[in-house]
Amino acid sequence: MNVFTANVKMILNKTKGGTIMAKKKMSLAQKVNVLRASVMGANDGIISVAGIVIGVAAATSNAYSILISGLSGSLAGMISMCMGEYVSVSTQKDSQKMAIINEKQRLSEQYQHEFNYVQRKYEEQDIDPQLAHQATAELMKKDPLGAVVQERYGFNPQDFTSPYAAAIVSFISFPTGSILPMVAVTMAPAADRIWATMVAVLIALLITGYLAAVLGKSNRVKSMLRNAAAGLLTMGVTFLIGQLFAR
């Protein structure tokens, strides 16, 4: 529940004669985004490096070659994920800032139009028009920019995700995730290293799939199975390619 929806409900409850106690809640959006970047970074590190080391292990039994390929993949992926998160979040932040600039101009030139827009959004949620008008009036009086931006663009103008935080988390989480397949493929006996790596990676992907579902509040079993399927497909494809060049 975002802060503006909570405020609307508080106003409506007061209007209906209800009594509630206002509680100050700290937004978790930034923490959730950082956690998301962490889980996704680790997940990508597991899948990407697992695919690399299994492909190389299918082509050669040389442990040194397998380890070097894994380390190279981890380093490349770490930089790629770090810069990708930075660019992605920076682009999102720039778009949000532009939306805020545009909305400030609309409020200065068409305040009533924006007021009516917010009221209509509440009425579309089956709120009585009179109550919707009162809620809009209170929110627009308190924070007109925040109220309109939330309803028109769907984000809180006071709650930006830091591109630096997302980049740093990815920089750390990707190589952390990549450690598992590298350790599994180098520590397991030569005859079993591929299957041992696949099993270890599969377990790890089930865990990251579960964590991603918890953060996204989605179906956990479906997320785990989807994540495992993606990993198995990746490892299966690279294994077959490695077999084509096996010596």
Side-chain angles (χ1 to χ4, degrees):
M1 180 185 296
N2 59 60
V3 66
F4 295 103
T5 303
N7 285 338
V8 170
K9 290 192 174 184
M10 180 176 70
I11 293 167
L12 294 178
N13 284 339
K14 287 181 177 179
T15 305
K16 294 176 181 178
T19 58
I20 60 172
M21 294 184 64
K23 294 181 179 180
K24 186 178 180 180
K25 293 183 179 180
M26 184 181 67
S27 173
L28 296 178
Q30 293 181 339
K31 291 182 179 180
V32 169
N33 280 326
V34 170
L35 286 172
R36 175 199 58 80
S38 177
V39 172
M40 293 300 100
N43 193 72
D44 286 349
I46 293 169
I47 293 179
S48 299
V49 176
I52 292 172
V53 296
I54 285 180
V56 175
T60 179
S61 59
N62 189 305
Y64 180 76
S65 298
I66 297 170
L67 180 60
I68 290 299
S69 67
L71 289 173
S72 299
S74 178
L75 178 61
M78 175 180 68
I79 297 173
S80 176
M81 278 290 296
C82 175
M83 297 309 299
E85 280 290 333
Y86 176 80
V87 171
S88 175
V89 175
S90 294
T91 301
Q92 177 185 344
K93 189 175 181 179
D94 290 343
S95 298
Q96 291 175 336
K97 286 183 176 180
M98 185 57 64
I100 291 174
I101 292 173
N102 293 336
E103 197 51 52
K104 284 182 179 178
Q105 184 174 357
R106 286 197 189 98
L107 284 169
S108 65
E109 298 174 355
Q110 311 172 53
Y111 181 87
Q112 190 59 45
H113 178 273
E114 297 305 288
F115 184 101
N116 294 339
Y117 177 86
V118 174
Q119 181 176 336
R120 284 198 308 272
K121 295 294 287 186
Y122 296 149
E123 290 176 359
E124 290 171 2
Q125 300 174 36
D126 296 326
I127 296 175
D128 180 82
Q130 184 177 354
L131 297 179
H133 178 82
Q134 183 171 350
T136 303
E138 294 224 20
L139 287 175
M140 293 292 281
K141 180 180 179 181
K142 179 181 178 181
D143 183 10
L145 179 63
V148 180
V149 167
Q150 180 68 49
E151 295 304 325
R152 187 179 288 278
Y153 299 102
F155 70 91
N156 185 344
Q158 304 297 327
D159 195 14
F160 290 111
T161 301
S162 168
Y164 299 103
I168 291 172
V169 167
S170 296
F171 186 83
I172 297 172
S173 62
F174 187 96
T176 300
S178 70
I179 291 174
L180 175 67
M182 285 193 291
V183 169
V185 79
T186 54
M187 297 298 292
D192 303 319
R193 61 170 48 129
I194 292 178
W195 296 111
T197 303
M198 284 187 171
V199 170
V201 166
L202 182 60
I203 293 172
L205 291 178
L206 290 173
I207 294 173
T208 56
Y210 176 85
L211 293 176
V214 170
L215 290 174
K217 297 181 180 179
S218 58
N219 186 292
R220 298 173 185 181
V221 174
K222 184 177 180 180
S223 177
M224 292 167 67
L225 293 177
R226 181 171 55 218
N227 211 33
L232 289 173
L233 177 62
T234 301
M235 292 184 288
V237 170
T238 57
F239 174 79
L240 292 176
I241 293 174
Q243 286 287 286
L244 292 176
F245 297 94
R247 293 185 297 174

